[in-house]
Amino acid sequence: MTLVMTKRTSKVFTYHDFDDDVVFTKNQNATIPEGYIWLHQNWFYRVTATVVYWVAVVVSFVYCRLYLRTSFRNKRCLRTQGKRGAFIYANHTQPLGDALLPMLVAIPRRAYPIAEPANLGIPIVGRLLAMGGALILPAKLSQMIQFQRAMNARLDQHQRVFIYPEAHVWPYYTKIRPFPVGAFHYPVAADLPSYSMTITYQKCRLLSRPKQVVYFDGPFMPDKSLPRKQRQQKLHDQIHAQMVTRSHQSNVSFMTYQHQSH
């Protein structure tokens, strides 16, 4: 599909490869502090976190529905989720929107997105991420046990874990970037279903800024007839191909991405 350039398209992002970070924030190199807790048992913290989360849900509704004009397609496929939780893979195209969108998708359940430690450095928001359900990727091997225990606890609660395998946010990017096979270790290890959540940008009749239309597909199950590494590869290929197909629904370009060679 041919993309139409909007009148407001003025921001140009230059990149060297698809793994480049094009959006930078304060404390970009923030790391997980010593003594960080992934699964809190303190009742006061849990009550406070619950209040923070549902306040964030209201913010999510206002920001996504009204500002980004987000709408969903084929969301009913998520109803096929099994007895435990599930994993949802999405392309990363909004600095704030991608932190809020999972909350809107998961209602009436809670959302648990996997996030990079750098997100902890975002002023104000970084401190509230964990309370909002974010599972921060461990920086050390010794922390992996706590991280995995927290993830398993959420899956046992029939919750959904959201993953942005492209890692870095590229605002309003309309294609699907390559992402690592290792990102599919989680559903293969847990033997749980995965879904794709493809964010597209389409023309809006009233405004030059495009509206956000999100497509869901799945479930995709690990193929138990294959060795573990091949299970990950097959799951990766299936979800990436489906997201590429859905990305063709984008029909407007709001930002320009230019390779350094040009």
Side-chain angles (χ1 to χ4, degrees):
M1 180 179 292
T2 302
L3 298 182
V4 176
M5 304 294 285
T6 67
K7 293 180 180 179
R8 285 189 55 191
T9 303
S10 58
K11 182 74 174 180
V12 177
F13 293 102
T14 302
Y15 66 95
H16 175 69
D17 58 47
F18 289 115
D19 196 40
D20 282 358
D21 209 342
V22 300
V23 175
F24 299 92
T25 60
K26 291 183 179 180
N27 304 318
Q28 184 78 13
N29 298 318
T31 58
I32 297 177
E34 290 295 329
Y36 184 84
I37 300 174
W38 276 265
L39 194 60
H40 286 267
Q41 302 299 330
N42 181 283
W43 70 269
F44 181 77
Y45 179 93
R46 293 169 68 177
V47 169
T48 304
T50 299
V51 173
V52 169
Y53 182 85
W54 290 107
V55 169
V57 169
V58 175
V59 174
S60 173
F61 182 87
V62 173
Y63 186 82
C64 294
R65 290 294 197 184
L66 301 184
Y67 179 72
L68 295 177
R69 293 180 300 287
T70 304
S71 61
F72 299 133
R73 300 289 186 273
N74 197 38
K75 188 171 178 285
R76 63 184 179 275
C77 75
L78 299 180
R79 298 173 187 171
T80 59
Q81 182 177 316
K83 295 181 179 180
R84 292 182 71 207
F87 295 87
I88 299 180
Y89 290 83
N91 48 323
H92 203 359
T93 65
Q94 288 289 330
L96 178 58
D98 288 350
L100 297 174
L101 182 61
M103 298 177 184
L104 205 57
V105 173
I107 292 174
R109 299 187 180 94
R110 290 183 60 166
Y112 292 91
I114 292 179
E116 295 284 344
N119 289 289
L120 295 175
I122 302 174
I124 303 177
V125 175
R127 296 185 179 183
L128 298 177
L129 277 176
M131 285 189 170
L135 296 168
I136 306 299
L137 281 170
K140 301 176 183 177
L141 189 60
S142 60
Q143 298 171 326
M144 182 60 73
I145 295 176
Q146 297 181 59
F147 170 80
Q148 194 66 53
R149 185 181 295 130
M151 179 186 292
N152 289 335
R154 302 313 179 193
L155 293 169
D156 288 340
Q157 293 169 355
H158 209 258
Q159 308 289 11
R160 292 160 182 164
V161 175
F162 290 76
I163 301 176
Y164 293 96
E166 294 172 332
H168 302 300
V169 59
W170 283 25
Y172 289 94
Y173 191 64
T174 57
K175 296 180 181 179
I176 305 301
R177 289 169 278 156
F179 44 76
V181 175
F184 295 84
H185 158 78
Y186 306 113
V188 168
D191 191 29
L192 290 176
S194 298
Y195 297 83
S196 62
M197 182 174 83
T198 311
I199 300 166
T200 70
Y201 294 97
Q202 301 180 19
K203 293 172 64 176
C204 181
R205 293 180 180 179
L206 300 178
L207 302 174
S208 60
R209 183 163 46 82
K211 61 183 179 180
Q212 187 182 75
V213 182
V214 183
Y215 294 87
F216 295 88
D217 291 286
F220 302 93
M221 291 297 301
D223 187 344
K224 293 184 180 180
S225 68
L226 298 173
R228 176 165 293 197
K229 291 293 185 182
Q230 293 180 30
R231 266 180 267 172
Q232 290 179 211
Q233 184 68 58
K234 182 176 180 179
L235 199 57
H236 165 280
D237 295 347
Q238 287 177 318
I239 291 179
H240 190 274
Q242 184 61 51
M243 292 174 72
V244 168
T245 298
R246 287 295 196 184
S247 71
H248 295 159
Q249 297 297 323
S250 290
N251 58 16
V252 61
S253 179
F254 192 59
M255 301 289 179
T256 301
Y257 286 83
Q258 180 176 287
H259 193 272
Q260 284 182 352
S261 63
H262 298 157

